[in-house]
Every structure is written in C-alpha cells, then in structure tokens.
Amino acid sequence: MLTISLLVAALLAAPSPSPTVPARAPAHLLVVTVTKGYHHDTVTDLERLVTEVGAETGAFDVDYARTDADLAEKASAAGLARYQGVVFASTTGDLPLPDRDALLAWIAAGHAFIGIHAATDTFHGFPAYLDMIGGEFEHHGPQAKVHVLVQDADHPATRGLEPAFDVFDEVYQFKRFDPDRVHVLLALERNPETGAPGSFPLAWTRETGRGRVFYTALGHRPDVIAAPWYRAHLRGGILWALGQS
C-alpha cells in the first residue's frame, strides 16, 4: 500500500503536460500571371520563386491564374474567398477580372496584395487599382546598373539587405505616385536615365482598409529573380503582406 500511495503522490505532483498548440495552417496565395500587354518571359521564374518561398517557409501554398478562364473562376468574388492573398507577377494591361471592384473590396477587407515588377503596368484606366497599388508605371529606359538605397532596414522585405547595393535591371519610373501615401523601402537617389539627383522609388508598402499591399519594381531579369537578396526581399514582402512577420 505504501508503494501505491507514493506512486499516486508522484503522479499528482508531476506537472501537467503543456497543451499542444496547433501549427498555423498555411495561407493560400493566388499567383496571377495573365498579361494583356507586354508579356515578360520571366513570369515563370517568378511563379517558381514564389512557390519555392512558400515551401521553404511553410507559411503559404500557391495556386495559379495563368489564363482568362483561370481568372474567371479563381478571381471572382466567390473564388477569392478561398485565398488569403493574391500576387500580380508582372501582369500587364487590362486583365479580364470578372469584378474589378470585388478584388479591391476583398483586399481592403483584410487580405494581402503583392505586386511584382509590371503589376504597376496593369489597369492604366482603372484609377482605384492604381491608388491601391500606390503608383502607375510611366516608362523605363534601357536596362541599367543602379545604386539602390534601403530606406527602412527594419522592414521584413529589406531586413538583412546591404544598406546600399548595385543591381542591373529594368528600372521603372512612375506617375500617380505620392510618397505620403506609401512607405518606401527601396529607392534611388539619381535618375536611372539622366543621373540627375532626386528620389526614385523602387519598392514600397501601404495599407488599404485592413489589407496590406507590398510592391517591388525589381524583378525583370532572370538573374535578378535568382539572386539570394531578391529572394529574401520578396519573401519578407509576402510574409509582411500576409501579416506573418
């Protein structure tokens, strides 16, 4: 009896096991690569990169909208309900969304929008989209080597990058851009075509309603997309937009 009493006492004194905390389910991202203007051959590189980042982090998985039919199904108001974020990967022109306003309302309701490179060369005639993304592509010159300055070293999309670095890429210049409406992450201090001093944004974030928007203008060339720093930049931007960093 003494042995049993001691065993019962030991069991009562033992700490209770900690409850198991369920792992967060991965978010679902819709990657859109439909183009109605210039088609970038590197959209497949961007698709692969986003997919790999999702697999590496476990933070999200990926679905694709590569055709008009995909958009009609997956980017409708009902289709978007399956996703926590959308990536416009070098989209161009007026995409045949079934309901453009529904997309913007869905983002403002608390979802993520990630725009890569030519996402600002999309919906030129749809001001509400341009206001959401934060700027409109105006033009670019020849591909050039530029000196990029990090404007916020603490943001997940720039954390770990060198404070300043050189990159050779196609460099966009923007109109319909108001620096007071965005949080600039990367910028140039000289015009990429003339060398004149100024401030020329390359990546930024903003919030619209309860939604988060991340945009980077870099990512035209396959060697840029393959660079470790660009992977880290895009990974941090996606996770921030999803509210996971």
Side-chain angles (χ1 to χ4, degrees):
M1 292 295 296
L2 181 60
T3 302
I4 295 174
S5 298
L6 290 173
L7 177 61
V8 171
L11 290 173
L12 292 175
S16 301
S18 300
T20 301
V21 178
R24 176 188 290 181
H28 303 304
L29 277 187
L30 178 63
V31 179
V32 178
T33 53
V34 177
T35 55
K36 295 301 174 182
Y38 180 80
H39 179 79
H40 290 73
D41 293 337
T42 50
V43 294
T44 55
D45 299 282
L46 292 172
E47 282 185 347
R48 182 168 54 252
L49 177 55
V50 174
T51 302
E52 289 175 356
V53 168
E56 290 166 2
T57 62
F60 60 89
D61 55 32
V62 175
D63 192 10
Y64 307 96
R66 299 178 173 118
T67 67
D68 292 1
D70 288 343
L71 278 179
E73 174 193 354
K74 300 174 182 179
S76 65
L80 287 170
R82 299 194 293 267
Y83 306 104
Q84 284 72 56
V86 63
V87 180
F88 275 25
S90 278
T91 54
T92 56
D94 290 326
L95 306 186
L97 290 177
D99 188 339
R100 302 184 305 182
D101 294 322
L103 172 67
L104 299 188
W106 173 82
I107 297 167
H111 298 92
F113 179 89
I114 297 96
I116 304 175
H117 194 50
T120 49
D121 192 18
T122 304
F123 288 130
H124 287 281
F126 186 27
Y129 170 86
L130 300 171
D131 290 341
M132 179 278 295
I133 197 171
E136 179 180 7
F137 165 75
E138 184 174 44
H139 76 278
H140 65 75
Q143 294 180 31
K145 181 179 179 181
V146 292
H147 191 61
V148 181
L149 303 178
V150 172
Q151 304 292 290
D152 180 358
D154 294 325
H155 193 277
T158 49
R159 192 180 300 144
L161 299 186
E162 294 295 326
F165 58 95
D166 292 339
V167 60
F168 186 86
D169 203 7
E170 182 177 82
V171 182
Y172 280 6
Q173 295 193 55
F174 300 95
K175 57 185 177 180
R176 202 183 181 92
F177 177 82
D178 181 352
D180 293 332
R181 296 185 66 248
V182 305
H183 179 64
V184 176
L185 301 177
L186 299 175
L188 308 176
E189 62 180 2
R190 292 191 175 277
N191 186 296
E193 297 167 51
T194 68
S199 181
F200 303 92
L202 288 178
W204 61 77
T205 64
R206 66 181 308 273
E207 297 185 11
T208 175
R210 292 185 289 113
R212 288 183 167 190
V213 176
F214 166 75
Y215 172 72
T216 181
L218 297 170
H220 173 82
R221 293 173 54 87
D223 56 318
V224 172
I225 295 169
W229 70 264
Y230 187 81
R231 178 182 291 257
H233 173 53
L234 190 61
R235 178 178 62 240
I238 293 173
L239 295 181
W240 175 86
L242 288 169
Q244 297 194 22
S245 66

